[in-house]
Amino acid sequence: MALRFSTALRNAVIGTVGMAGALSTGIIEIYTGAQPASADDPVAGTLLGRVTLNGAAFTPGTATNGLTFAAAANGTVAKSATNWQFTGLANGSAGWFRFKANAVDAGALSTTHVRLDGSIATSGGDMTIGNINVTTGAPNTVDQFVLTYPAQ
């Protein structure tokens, strides 16, 4: 699978905000099944969990427990040295993620919501988590999350 940027995220990257700024203090939602063709598309699959700082409660529009990034270097930005965690909301196999900006976003078709979709794996995915087999009530962590902006 490939990372897919929403129209709003592409506008943020090319504009003055930047990708890490546009996604800063947002959350990641993890779903079963196949990744949609575009990050503008509605979500598909079963919601397995919401990744936040320490797996704590999150309210859109507030920075509390939103995810942050380390400083960018060499065209790459990674998750900060904090604990990105979620608790399983349902049983299932993680297939893809949607990183959503810190705003109310119900996951419907949109070209105005900042989103980044990608694949999940225990190694080699766009995002690496401890276990792709999610169980209701069980904690899980994001082990690696790195975004690289290509030189060409």
Side-chain angles (χ1 to χ4, degrees):
M1 285 192 223
L3 289 174
R4 296 189 176 114
F5 296 44
S6 70
T7 300
L9 180 56
R10 291 182 322 180
N11 291 341
V13 169
I14 199 78
T16 59
V17 176
M19 189 180 328
L23 293 171
S24 182
T25 68
I27 63 167
I28 297 172
E29 292 182 338
I30 297 174
Y31 292 91
T32 61
Q35 178 180 339
S38 167
D40 291 335
D41 288 343
V43 295
T46 301
L47 176 63
L48 296 177
R50 288 187 179 91
V51 180
T52 63
L53 180 64
N54 296 315
F58 174 82
T59 301
T62 67
T64 304
N65 301 319
L67 305 174
T68 58
F69 294 94
N74 300 317
T76 299
V77 66
K79 76 182 212 63
S80 61
T82 57
N83 185 27
W84 290 18
Q85 184 177 332
F86 69 96
T87 299
L89 298 174
N91 295 333
S93 181
W96 68 283
F97 70 85
R98 174 163 285 171
F99 200 133
K100 300 181 347 180
N102 188 341
V104 175
D105 178 355
L109 177 68
S110 173
T111 59
T112 59
H113 286 296
V114 173
R115 301 169 173 163
L116 174 69
D117 291 357
S119 66
I120 298 175
T122 54
S123 69
D126 297 318
M127 179 172 76
T128 302
I129 63 175
N131 185 354
I132 63 167
N133 297 310
V134 177
T135 303
T136 303
N140 205 332
T141 59
V142 173
D143 299 328
Q144 184 177 20
F145 189 90
V146 178
L147 299 173
T148 301
Y149 200 81
Q152 297 178 345

